[in-house]
Amino acid sequence: MIETDILIIGAGPTGLFAVFEAGLLQLKCHIIDALPQPGGQLAELYPKKPIFDIPGYPEVLAGDLVTNLMEQIKQFQPGFTLAQTAETIDTLEDGTFIVTTNKGIKHHAKAVAIAGGLGTFEPRKPQLENISFYEEKGVEYFVKDPELFRNKRVVIAGGGDSALDWSVFLSNVASEVTLVHRRNEFRGALDSVEKVQELKKLGKINLITPAEVVAVQGTNHIESIVLENQGAQQVLETDFFIPLFGLTPKLGAIANWGLEIEKNAIKVNNALDYQTNIPGIYAIGDVNIYPGKLKLILCGFHEATLMCQSVYQRINPGKRYVLKYTTVSGVDGFDGTRKEAEKAVVKSIE
């Protein structure tokens, strides 16, 4: 049983920033996310795309924003349950919750904050016969552990940042990497395209375009794929096939928790603290809905801040908390570190 003050469902920017705001209140957080790494859409879909509306950053790459958020919360030592989804929730007599993941991991929390963005991200699967049979038998939709592909033959399909970046990364891990895309043009960061081009010249990446995977073959594990290339078919032997065609957001099992749902989003009380119709369960960020809702990262940061204040009062009923500015009070991390402004110099002017 994992014990925490606030269980955050979703490791996107809103969920990560909630850890910081909770830490200022000396509240411990644990995060569940369906993806194999923190960052949500920013890390999985467009890590190298710039974001222009984060206060204080005229421009910041999505991946860099995630890196900065992780650095910001490191001092508060959050726990992570990654590559798992929150399946069921049980409310105990004392008002606390037990949330169980699809792999049976139980989390006991005094409050739950759903920060799942647009929902649980499920991979867009290619429409290939019997592909479900080969899932976890050579067909992988995420690169959870690169060592799985050590000295193996890998075929990656896709034309975006994820396909390009993982092709580059795995070129130093796998014995053979083949990148397949149905077009000659790629929708990705320029430097990623240039790296793939360079690795192709060095013979470290096989690039096949325009082409499409039309079948997967094998007995108990994938052994080969069938490519259709300009009207002709060819069979390519491989140990792994990784189709990276993006993700589809779904609310998932949370939709069955008894929460009020409107337009595939969770209704909250935005006049106070972004609490749902179930006391102790909050929804922050893109996953919630209320009059005037804007799906912006900075709005998620604001909602996370008010949510943490509400949870503090829930856990400490009747205890008065005076908001302290970090510029004055500093930040005390759970790891024993302390960040504070330099003390003012007291000196006479003669």
Side-chain angles (χ1 to χ4, degrees):
M1 183 82 72
I2 294 171
E3 299 282 345
T4 189
D5 292 320
I6 306 177
L7 179 65
I8 301 171
I9 300 172
T14 296
L16 294 178
F17 187 69
V19 175
F20 177 78
E21 288 297 322
L24 295 180
L25 299 168
Q26 296 295 293
L27 300 177
K28 187 74 175 175
C29 291
H30 191 92
I31 302 179
I32 298 174
D33 199 278
L35 296 177
Q37 74 286 316
Q41 296 181 66
L42 275 65
E44 185 65 26
L45 297 184
Y46 46 87
K48 294 189 176 182
K49 295 292 176 65
I51 301 173
F52 301 102
D53 60 354
I54 302 299
Y57 288 93
E59 177 181 336
V60 60
L61 297 182
D64 289 345
L65 178 59
V66 172
T67 299
N68 291 343
L69 286 165
M70 290 294 290
E71 179 65 25
Q72 186 178 30
I73 67 176
K74 181 172 65 175
Q75 61 202 315
F76 296 123
Q77 301 177 313
F80 288 91
T81 299
L82 299 174
Q84 297 184 45
T85 57
E87 287 288 310
T88 62
I89 188 168
D90 296 294
T91 305
L92 304 185
E93 289 184 4
D94 62 357
T96 62
F97 304 92
I98 292 181
V99 174
T100 307
T101 69
N102 60 316
K103 294 188 178 179
I105 304 298
K106 294 183 180 296
H107 306 73
H108 181 216
K110 298 170 185 174
V112 175
I114 302 169
L118 298 173
T120 300
F121 287 104
E122 298 182 3
R124 290 194 176 98
K125 302 179 181 182
Q127 300 299 309
L128 301 177
E129 186 178 356
N130 295 331
I131 191 162
S132 59
F133 173 79
Y134 295 102
E135 291 172 0
E136 299 186 359
K137 299 176 184 177
V139 172
E140 302 287 338
Y141 300 109
F142 300 107
V143 180
K144 299 176 183 177
D145 179 9
E147 286 302 310
L148 177 67
F149 310 100
R150 175 71 64 181
N151 300 323
K152 301 293 184 180
R153 298 166 299 179
V154 177
V155 174
I156 296 175
D161 284 314
S162 292
L164 292 164
D165 291 346
W166 281 119
S167 295
V168 171
F169 186 91
L170 292 178
S171 67
N172 294 316
V173 176
S175 62
E176 180 181 293
V177 174
T178 301
L179 176 58
V180 179
H181 184 40
R182 57 180 179 167
R183 299 187 180 92
N184 292 319
E185 302 81 18
F186 287 84
R187 287 175 171 265
L190 181 60
D191 67 319
S192 296
V193 176
E194 290 176 345
K195 284 179 184 175
V196 169
Q197 182 70 36
E198 181 183 348
L199 291 170
K200 176 192 174 186
K201 291 179 180 178
L202 294 173
K204 298 192 71 175
I205 291 179
N206 303 318
L207 184 62
I208 304 178
T209 61
E212 195 168 354
V213 177
V214 294
V216 289
Q217 300 174 334
T219 306
N220 296 315
H221 191 280
I222 192 169
E223 297 171 5
S224 63
I225 62 165
V226 180
L227 288 176
E228 191 167 282
N229 188 351
Q230 296 179 333
Q233 290 193 348
Q234 69 178 101
V235 176
L236 187 65
E237 293 184 353
T238 188
D239 301 303
F240 289 95
F241 173 45
I242 310 175
L244 298 173
F245 298 145
L247 304 172
T248 301
K250 293 183 179 179
L251 205 51
I254 292 174
N256 302 318
W257 285 8
L259 302 167
E260 285 189 49
I261 308 295
E262 180 181 309
K263 298 179 180 178
N264 204 40
I266 302 170
K267 292 182 68 174
V268 295
N269 174 10
N270 68 304
L272 186 61
D273 54 11
Y274 304 96
Q275 201 161 185
T276 68
N277 59 302
I278 300 178
I281 301 181
Y282 302 76
I284 54 177
D286 288 356
V287 75
N288 72 18
I289 189 169
Y290 53 83
K293 169 69 180 181
L294 292 177
K295 294 189 176 184
L296 298 173
I297 293 174
L298 62 91
C299 294
F301 290 166
H302 163 77
E303 294 167 11
T305 304
L306 295 188
M307 177 275 294
C308 289
Q309 296 286 326
S310 176
V311 172
Y312 180 87
Q313 294 298 330
R314 176 181 173 83
I315 295 176
N316 304 283
K319 186 175 180 180
R320 186 167 179 266
Y321 172 77
V322 178
L323 177 66
K324 297 177 182 179
Y325 298 101
T326 57
T327 47
V328 177
S329 63
V331 177
D332 291 306
F334 294 168
D335 57 2
T337 60
R338 177 167 176 77
K339 296 179 180 178
E340 58 183 334
E342 293 183 10
K343 300 298 183 184
V345 177
V346 179
K347 184 179 172 92
S348 301
I349 297 178
E350 298 177 359

